[in-house]
């Protein structure tokens, strides 16, 4: 895409689009930065971009005149059916995203990873395997540093691993050389028109692949067979429940890579399931998917074994914050859907005091409520969706429902859960909801949880030390 001298609008000034503005400015584009926030609300971002010669259209009328642009880059998560966007598209304006531009510009092979849950862990673990295998590896997309700002410096012999959300995939016109779909369950139905539209967005990760590319699918996922039939590239599988002909599975408690050829099926042992340090069966699926990619890229079994047996996870995903007086506090803030939260709850065989709730993405809570009713010792609810979750728990548990406590804030929830906890319990933040009603993102929510846990437990420790000193 030629950018020099073209009239370009960048809509939404989040982290990835600010990096995009930097790239476009270097290429000589005539840039209008648009955001529904005002200059005062954006603060230093405006000052910073003004120095690049960027013009601004901010506040309530930020989409006015969008059809005067030649190219529009939309922020991930923005609805595509706003009248101004529809009108611009009808007038021939190119509607794109930072992710699509990056995939067109990047010279290195790309491994793209998407799914309703597990994509952050799978992306991080895949990057670690490829780096240990000797590749110059760049990890980005929906996590970490936006890579568009350095796309021209990424060498052809490197490898790029991208976590890709449904929003990032919705407008792409190029697919990664290796595409991975961890699983599909309802998500983001507040912004996607239907479940079919959400699945369609995810499917674009392989829609533009050729016969020389590869698609890695979860054999235990209900949507995978139809996706395999659509794929033009080679399809490989992973499963924790059954053997697969080509891919990775669990056999007699061990992770095994399998490959089917004209001469038969070969098997390569990686490690014992018991050696994996990540909590939860869902993380076993993430390990299997990462090993399939590693094998496709030529990583040795020893390299994969070393990485997967030492990997302890990513921040905000079943992250042990502290153990205090026999109670473990886990931060699972990344669990922004009921399915993710279910996986988090199932990771423990100890009594769970669950902190849940937040922004409602219009997702069903029925299965989540059943899991909570069966496994939770108590539930502490926060945020916009708290009443909806409480009704679901009551409907599915009846008189056997665990105690449900409505809390004014995350701090209040942690305090009340701590007060009710006993040695051997787990206090788990696994919200099943997005964070936007209370926090800018799940990272901020998880960081606040960490801080509150440390403040409350350190207060106990300081009090105990004082008593000893006085004694």
């Amino acid at each position: 895409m030629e950018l020099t001298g073209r009239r370009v609008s960048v809509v939404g000034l989040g982290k990835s689009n600010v990096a995009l503005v930097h790239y476009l400015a270097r290429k000589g584009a005539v840039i209008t930065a648009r955001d529904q926030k005002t200059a005062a609300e954006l603060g230093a971002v405006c000052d910073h971009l003004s120095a690049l010669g960027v013009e601004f259209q901010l506040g309530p009328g930020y989409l006015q005149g969008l059809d005067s642009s030649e190219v529009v880059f939309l922020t991930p998560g923005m609805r595509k059916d706003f009248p101004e966007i529809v009108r611009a598209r009808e007038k021939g304006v190119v509607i794109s995203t930072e992710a699509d531009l990056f995939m067109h510009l990047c010279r290195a092979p790309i491994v793209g990873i998407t799914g309703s849950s597990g994509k952050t862990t799978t992306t991080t673990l895949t990057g670690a395997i490829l780096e240990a295998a000797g590749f110059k590896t760049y990890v980005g997309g929906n996590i970490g540093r936006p890579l568009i700002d350095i796309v021209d410096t990424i060498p052809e012999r490197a490898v790029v691993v991208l976590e890709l959300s449904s929003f990032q995939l919705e407008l792409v016109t190029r697919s990664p050389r290796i595409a991975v779909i961890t699983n599909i369950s309802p998500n983001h139905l507040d912004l996607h028109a239907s479940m079919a539209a959400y699945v369609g967005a995810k499917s674009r990760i392989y829609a533009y692949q050729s016969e020389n590319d590869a698609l890695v699918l979860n054999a235990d996922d209900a949507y995978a067979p139809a996706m395999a039939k659509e794929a033009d590239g080679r399809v490989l599988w992973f499963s924790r429940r059954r053997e697969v002909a080509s891919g990775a599975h669990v056999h007699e408690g061990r992770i095994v890579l399998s490959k089917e050829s004209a001469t038969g099926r070969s098997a390569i042992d990686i490690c014992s399931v018991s050696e994996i340090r990540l909590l939860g069966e869902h993380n076993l699926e993430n390990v299997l998917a990462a090993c399939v990619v590693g094998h496709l890229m030529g990583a040795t079994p020893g390299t994969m074994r070393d990485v997967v047996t030492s990997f302890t996870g990513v921040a905000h995903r079943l992250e042990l914050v502290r153990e205090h007086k026999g109670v473990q506090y886990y931060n699972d803030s990344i669990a922004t859907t009921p399915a993710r939260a279910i996986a988090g709850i199932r990771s423990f065989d100890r009594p769970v005091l669950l902190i849940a709730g937040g922004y409602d993405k219009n997702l069903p809570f029925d299965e989540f409520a059943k899991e909570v009713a069966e496994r939770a010792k108590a539930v502490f609810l926060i945020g916009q969706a708290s009443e909806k979750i409480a009704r679901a728990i009551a409907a599915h548990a009846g008189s056997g429902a665990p105690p449900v406590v409505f809390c004014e804030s995350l701090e209040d929830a942690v305090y009340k859960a701590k007060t009710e906890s006993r040695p051997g319990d787990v206090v788990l933040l696994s919200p099943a909801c997005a964070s936007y009603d209370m926090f800018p993102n799940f990272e901020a929510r998880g960081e606040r949880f960490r801080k509150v846990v440390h403040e409350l437990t350190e207060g106990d420790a300081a009090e105990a030390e004082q008593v000893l000193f006085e004694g």
Side-chain angles (χ1 to χ4, degrees):
M1 181 186 294
E2 178 57 46
L3 296 166
T4 304
R6 299 190 79 181
R7 299 186 307 279
V8 175
S9 282
V10 178
V11 183
L13 295 177
K15 182 169 68 171
S16 63
N17 270 4
V18 168
L20 173 62
V21 170
H22 275 265
Y23 179 82
L24 296 172
R26 288 202 306 273
K27 295 299 178 181
V30 180
I31 307 165
T32 300
R34 299 168 179 264
D35 200 290
Q36 60 185 337
K37 294 180 180 178
T38 65
E41 290 172 322
L42 288 168
V45 171
C46 273
D47 298 335
H48 176 66
L49 297 184
S50 292
L52 300 177
V54 173
E55 295 182 356
F56 294 90
Q57 187 150 336
L58 306 173
Y62 73 109
L63 292 179
Q64 291 177 2
L66 193 66
D67 55 359
S68 65
S69 308
E70 295 177 84
V71 184
V72 171
F73 292 98
L74 299 178
T75 188
M78 184 173 188
R79 293 187 69 104
K80 314 304 186 291
D81 58 358
F82 286 131
E84 296 90 342
I85 297 173
V86 172
R87 187 161 52 247
R89 183 182 284 112
E90 289 173 345
K91 290 186 67 173
V93 177
V94 176
I95 309 295
S96 187
T97 61
E98 175 266 336
D100 187 44
L101 180 64
F102 178 85
M103 286 200 282
H104 277 277
L105 294 172
C106 184
R107 296 171 295 168
I110 295 174
V111 177
I113 297 169
T114 195
S116 300
S117 58
K119 56 184 178 291
T120 299
T121 299
T122 305
T123 300
T124 307
L125 182 55
T126 299
I129 288 173
L130 297 181
E131 186 170 13
F135 290 97
K136 178 68 174 175
T137 306
Y138 297 81
V139 177
N142 205 36
I143 58 173
R145 173 188 180 183
L147 298 179
I148 188 67
D149 198 27
I150 59 169
V151 65
D152 292 338
T153 66
I154 296 176
E156 291 182 30
R157 297 184 66 82
V159 61
V160 174
V161 186
L162 296 181
E163 177 186 322
L164 295 166
S165 70
S166 59
F167 302 132
Q168 289 170 308
L169 288 167
E170 205 169 8
L171 294 177
V172 298
T173 54
R174 178 163 292 189
S175 295
R177 293 293 308 275
I178 299 175
V180 180
I181 302 179
T182 59
N183 48 61
I184 299 289
S185 61
N187 199 357
H188 301 301
L189 298 185
D190 54 330
L191 293 173
H192 289 290
S194 64
M195 187 62 187
Y198 172 65
V199 175
K202 291 292 191 186
S203 300
R204 294 179 77 89
I205 197 169
Y206 62 82
Y208 300 94
Q209 285 190 323
S210 73
E211 61 183 11
N212 298 318
D213 300 327
L215 172 62
V216 181
L217 293 172
N218 186 342
D220 305 326
D221 190 88
Y223 289 91
M227 291 177 166
K229 290 179 181 178
E230 292 177 341
D232 289 328
R234 176 186 175 198
V235 178
L236 296 97
W237 302 90
F238 64 93
S239 173
R240 61 182 172 87
R241 296 185 179 137
R242 69 193 79 173
E243 291 190 12
V244 299
S246 292
H249 60 267
V250 177
H251 178 70
E252 297 182 349
R254 302 192 68 82
I255 289 180
V256 175
L257 290 167
S258 57
K259 182 179 180 180
E260 196 167 56
S261 65
T263 58
R265 184 185 300 178
S266 60
I268 302 171
D269 182 84
I270 299 299
C271 67
S272 168
V273 170
S274 63
E275 295 178 83
I276 296 170
R277 300 172 66 183
L278 294 170
L279 289 174
E281 290 185 339
H282 62 290
N283 272 321
L284 179 54
E285 294 181 350
N286 300 333
V287 170
L288 291 165
C291 285
V292 176
V293 177
H295 189 48
L296 282 170
M297 294 295 294
T300 66
T303 295
M304 287 186 272
R305 180 183 302 112
D306 290 344
V307 174
V308 302
T309 58
S310 61
F311 187 76
T312 56
V314 298
H316 312 297
R317 168 46 95 188
L318 290 176
E319 172 192 9
L320 178 61
V321 175
R322 173 168 257 184
E323 181 165 352
H324 180 69
K325 293 186 176 179
V327 178
Q328 293 180 332
Y329 294 81
Y330 277 88
N331 168 21
D332 195 31
S333 183
I334 201 172
T336 61
T337 67
R340 285 188 179 192
I342 288 170
I345 295 167
R346 287 177 177 171
S347 299
F348 300 97
D349 55 10
R350 304 171 67 175
V352 171
L353 291 89
L354 178 69
I355 299 172
Y359 174 79
D360 183 7
K361 295 194 283 186
N362 196 30
L363 305 180
F365 287 103
D366 302 279
E367 293 303 316
F368 171 72
K370 291 177 187 176
E371 198 72 25
V372 169
E374 291 177 7
R375 293 175 177 261
K377 178 179 177 180
V379 185
F380 303 85
L381 295 177
I382 59 174
Q384 181 191 93
S386 56
E387 292 279 358
K388 183 176 178 181
I389 295 172
R391 288 194 300 271
I393 293 172
H396 289 284
S399 60
V404 174
V405 181
F406 291 96
C407 304
E408 295 180 359
S409 63
L410 180 58
E411 291 84 348
D412 184 37
V414 176
Y415 174 78
K416 288 176 177 173
K418 174 182 175 293
T419 301
E420 295 299 319
S421 66
R422 298 293 180 267
D425 289 348
V426 168
V427 174
L428 172 66
L429 171 67
S430 196
C433 298
S435 61
Y436 306 132
D437 58 336
M438 302 173 75
F439 299 92
N441 49 52
F442 75 82
E443 292 97 338
R445 178 172 59 191
E447 287 160 9
R448 185 60 185 159
F449 177 76
R450 283 196 208 120
K451 187 173 187 293
V452 174
V453 168
H454 282 290
E455 286 174 349
L456 289 174
T457 56
E458 285 168 6
D460 284 351
E463 183 180 334
E465 287 176 6
Q466 182 68 19
V467 170
L468 289 171
F469 179 76
E470 290 175 352

